[in-house]
Amino acid sequence: MKMIKAIVRPEKAALVLDQLGNAGFRASTKFSILGRGKQRGLKVEDIYYDEIPKEMLMLVVEDADADKVVNIISDTARTKDEGYFGDGKIFVQDVERAITISAGKEEL
């Protein structure tokens, strides 16, 4: 299994979740977060913003589905065709076990 964590622009989060749901990946968690990338924030006129609002989407999928999910997220979250600074980042991690608390079963 793989855990996929995607940091995306707030205005893209709902669309990404819709596209994932349409592809059969309905189980997810969403967090509102603050962060910055390599550019270390954003300067607009005289104001410097070093923490930018973002959304983190997190889901666990079978290994065989990981690339499909990553492609859906990156294609949907990308600004314009060529992308833009601040579009986000995707992290993919191995998951050893997943346990459904209500059933007490190891399952996704």
Side-chain angles (χ1 to χ4, degrees), residues 23-39:
F25 304 103
R26 292 175 183 85
S28 63
T29 302
K30 181 176 83 166
F31 306 86
S32 294
I33 60 172
L34 296 172
R36 64 181 186 202
K38 294 176 189 174
Q39 70 276 12

Side-chain angles (χ1 to χ4, degrees), residues 5-107:
K5 295 179 182 178
I7 300 171
V8 301
R9 293 175 180 270
E11 65 271 19
K12 294 285 191 169
L15 183 58
V16 170
L17 290 172
D18 286 346
Q19 293 299 317
L20 288 168
N22 291 342
F25 304 103
R26 292 175 183 85
S28 63
T29 302
K30 181 176 83 166
F31 306 86
S32 294
I33 60 172
L34 296 172
R36 64 181 186 202
K38 294 176 189 174
Q39 70 276 12
R40 299 188 315 188
L42 176 68
K43 184 173 181 180
V44 178
E45 296 179 6
D46 292 337
I47 301 172
Y48 180 73
Y49 301 95
D50 67 342
E51 293 183 332
I52 311 296
K54 299 286 182 181
E55 296 289 328
M56 180 183 287
L57 310 176
M58 184 174 72
L59 58 159
V60 176
V61 300
E62 296 294 345
D63 288 347
D65 293 325
D67 287 340
K68 182 176 182 179
V69 168
V70 166
N71 288 334
I72 291 169
I73 294 168
S74 60
D75 290 347
T76 306
R78 184 178 295 117
T79 303
K80 303 181 183 176
D81 290 336
E82 67 278 359
Y84 196 73
F85 288 113
D87 280 351
K89 187 78 83 173
I90 301 171
F91 302 96
V92 180
Q93 300 172 294
D94 289 326
V95 174
E96 278 188 45
R97 299 168 66 192
I99 299 144
T100 300
I101 294 173
S102 61
K105 294 181 182 177
E106 287 200 31
E107 61 183 0

